[in-house]
Amino acid sequence: MEAIKSSFPVYFNYQVQFTHGLFDKKNPLFVEIVQQASKQPSKLLWVIEQEVANSQPELTAAMDAYCQHHQLQQCGKPLVIGGGEAIKNDSSLLKSIYQAINEHGICRHSYIVAVGGGALLDMVGFAAATAHRGIRLIRVPTTVLAQADSGVGVKNAINYFDKKNFLGCFAPPYAVLNDFNFLISLPQRDWRAGMAEAVKVALIKDAEFFYYIQQQAQALTQRSMPAMQHLVRRCAALHAAHISGSGDPFEFGSSRPLDFGHWAAHKLEHLTAHRLRHGEAVAIGLALDSTYSYLAGYLAQNDWQQILATLQDLGFTLYVPELSQQLDKLEHPLNIFRGLREFQEHLGGELTIMLLEKIGQGKEVHTVDIALFQQAILLLKELR
Ligand SMILES: NC(=O)c1ccc[n+]([C@@H]2O[C@H](COP(=O)([O-])OP(=O)(O)OC[C@H]3O[C@@H](n4cnc5c(N)ncnc54)[C@H](O)[C@@H]3O)[C@@H](O)[C@H]2O)c1
Ligand SMILES: [Zn+2]
């Protein structure tokens, strides 16, 4: 009997747009995006992060007025939910999104519009991708990290079994609408944290961008909007280009260059019980993997020093005690190197870690020298 072979490409196409005042009645962006698939009115279900609604009290009224003005069909009042990593740990919130989808009869041609930080977008994205096998999702990211990195991509997830992003899927959004005005109300900590992802992508892909961040470090920490807008745009463009141009948007292979610094970061988020923000943990992961790259002889000393100095100039802490707890007990649950195994397990296939050859150029390895990594951790501890 001859086998039936199936092989077909699936084409995805979405835009990442940048704007100010997304819900000003005169701003046509949102209505154009919603009406691009069909002029027929489609239903909109809003999910907004509580903290965003609190810090921008006029927001929900502006959305409502925008919808009335442009005759967009909203489903009830916006669902206002918490934010931050905690919502990815609480599966009852996921259920509340499914409930709203069910109650309002949201179909695959309707839209869920998620307004919030990376954690909310990950969680709502997962709900949108799984209800009815996929409802159109419009992401409106409200943090630096989400506008520059997480909101731009194709991954959605919640945490489960105490493991980060254990339940998740690859599902591209319908559109990503980055409104820079949301960044104004961000606490300094979150303003800073997102910049770690920009340093990450600059280090592996774009030396010029790294030198931009280095040069603008002070302006960036002092909340220069033009400097931040450039950072967000460039970082988002590099991520989007990687997703559409790498040939592996759904990560079937073992290589995951955009996860530079992330094996340790994910473990540190867990070991610190999320005391660290994702971006803060990434900054430490970048410092660690850059230090290892230097000690292993891949990266020049001068490049290594510039990387650490730039991260520090941005205000990042590059060492936390959780890095070195139970350092010699590799099987201890609190040992950082358990993160390597978990990273491989999550990714599948051969262990593949991105390191650095020089600023702007990564280098993948499949084995690591744990003793040298321990040395790297102790060096970061000394330099603190
Ligand atoms: N899907 C992906 O590809 C991907 C990539 C990177 C990171 N992530 C995930 O993203 C999450 C981190 O995202 P994040 O850094 O945006 O953090 P976050 O979503 O936890 O938000 C950080 C804080 O900022 C608050 N906030 C959000 N917008 C605000 C605003 N405009 N004004 C005032 N406060 C605001 C939130 O309430 C929260 O307290 C992590 O869960 C991480 O795993 C996902
Ligand atoms: Zn990240």
Side-chain angles (χ1 to χ4, degrees):
M1 287 255 279
E2 227 177 83
I4 298 169
K5 293 182 183 160
S6 299
S7 163
F8 49 87
V10 182
Y11 182 71
F12 290 103
N13 174 16
Y14 65 93
Q15 300 173 25
V16 179
Q17 293 277 1
F18 299 89
T19 190
H20 290 268
L22 181 62
F23 300 112
D24 288 352
K25 282 184 204 160
K26 287 194 198 120
N27 189 336
L29 179 60
F30 187 82
V31 66
E32 280 172 10
I33 291 287
V34 170
Q35 289 178 346
Q36 71 188 3
S38 146
K39 293 278 175 230
Q40 299 303 319
S42 304
K43 289 182 181 175
L44 297 181
L45 176 69
W46 298 101
V47 185
I48 305 172
E49 185 166 330
Q50 182 80 64
E51 197 51 41
V52 177
N54 290 350
S55 51
Q56 313 218 351
E58 72 298 344
L59 179 67
T60 47
M63 285 168 164
D64 191 45
Y66 189 93
C67 289
Q68 308 260 359
H69 184 76
H70 293 283
Q71 296 171 343
L72 299 173
Q73 194 186 340
Q74 307 181 74
C75 291
K77 285 199 180 327
L79 206 61
V80 181
I81 60 171
E85 195 65 29
I87 62 163
K88 287 175 67 175
N89 294 324
D90 177 0
S91 49
S92 71
L93 278 171
L94 189 67
K95 200 171 166 192
S96 69
I97 312 277
Y98 290 138
Q99 247 156 6
I101 291 170
N102 186 34
E103 272 164 28
H104 294 294
I106 300 293
C107 71
R108 299 185 66 236
H109 288 212
S110 308
Y111 300 87
I112 297 181
V113 189
V115 184
L120 178 132
L121 298 181
D122 270 9
M123 193 273 273
V124 178
F126 184 61
T130 47
H132 298 307
R133 300 197 179 104
I135 295 167
R136 292 172 181 164
L137 173 73
I138 298 178
R139 297 195 190 121
V140 182
T142 60
T143 62
V144 169
L145 187 136
Q147 292 196 354
D149 177 320
S150 79
V152 172
V154 295
K155 296 192 268 187
N156 309 280
I158 59 164
N159 307 332
Y160 213 69
F161 295 133
D162 233 3
K163 286 186 176 161
K164 188 127 173 122
N165 301 331
F166 187 88
L167 289 182
C169 61
F170 292 92
Y174 186 80
V176 183
L177 307 179
N178 278 336
D179 179 348
F180 289 123
N181 290 1
F182 281 114
L183 305 184
I184 295 167
S185 61
L186 268 185
Q188 185 67 11
R189 191 176 173 190
D190 294 293
W191 172 276
R192 173 182 299 116
M195 294 194 278
E197 301 281 12
V199 175
K200 169 201 78 179
V201 75
L203 284 175
I204 56 170
K205 283 182 182 284
D206 185 348
E208 203 182 303
F209 184 36
F210 175 80
Y211 295 120
Y212 173 83
I213 298 171
Q214 182 182 54
Q215 205 198 359
Q216 296 291 319
Q218 199 184 1
L220 285 163
T221 56
Q222 290 174 354
R223 301 190 74 125
S224 153
M225 226 358 148
M228 183 55 94
Q229 285 177 19
H230 179 78
L231 179 142
V232 167
R233 276 175 190 271
R234 185 70 195 137
C235 185
L238 286 165
H239 276 84
H242 179 83
I243 291 163
S244 56
S246 69
D248 190 17
F250 287 1
E251 298 174 0
F252 291 120
S254 304
S255 164
R256 210 154 78 175
L258 294 181
D259 272 354
F260 174 46
H262 276 59
W263 73 265
H266 284 163
K267 190 68 195 167
L268 279 177
E269 281 182 83
H270 180 229
L271 291 177
T272 60
H274 299 286
R275 184 184 80 241
L276 290 178
R277 293 274 202 269
H278 178 72
E280 292 167 343
V282 169
I284 297 172
L286 297 178
L288 178 59
D289 287 358
S290 302
T291 304
Y292 178 87
S293 301
Y294 158 61
L295 292 178
Y298 304 137
L299 181 69
Q301 186 182 33
N302 182 38
D303 279 9
W304 168 62
Q305 286 169 336
Q306 288 194 66
I307 296 166
L308 261 51
T310 301
L311 288 168
Q312 280 166 332
D313 287 349
L314 291 172
F316 288 110
T317 299
L318 304 185
Y319 173 83
V320 286
E322 285 82 357
L323 266 179
S324 55
Q325 65 196 2
Q326 309 293 341
L327 193 57
D328 291 322
K329 298 192 183 116
L330 298 185
E331 291 307 312
H332 196 286
L334 298 181
N335 180 286
I336 186 77
F337 298 112
R338 292 277 293 251
L340 279 171
R341 200 193 305 158
E342 287 163 14
F343 187 71
Q344 181 183 8
E345 190 180 297
H346 185 63
L347 183 57
E350 192 182 10
L351 176 72
T352 307
I353 299 288
M354 178 59 84
L355 295 174
L356 280 188
E357 212 155 63
K358 60 181 183 183
I359 288 173
Q361 194 174 316
K363 172 189 176 65
E364 280 185 342
V365 299
H366 302 290
T367 52
V368 293
D369 177 345
I370 295 290
L372 206 57
F373 252 125
Q374 287 168 327
Q375 223 176 300
I377 289 174
L378 297 176
L379 192 51
L380 286 180
K381 187 176 178 181
E382 257 172 51
L383 291 174
R384 127 186 90 128

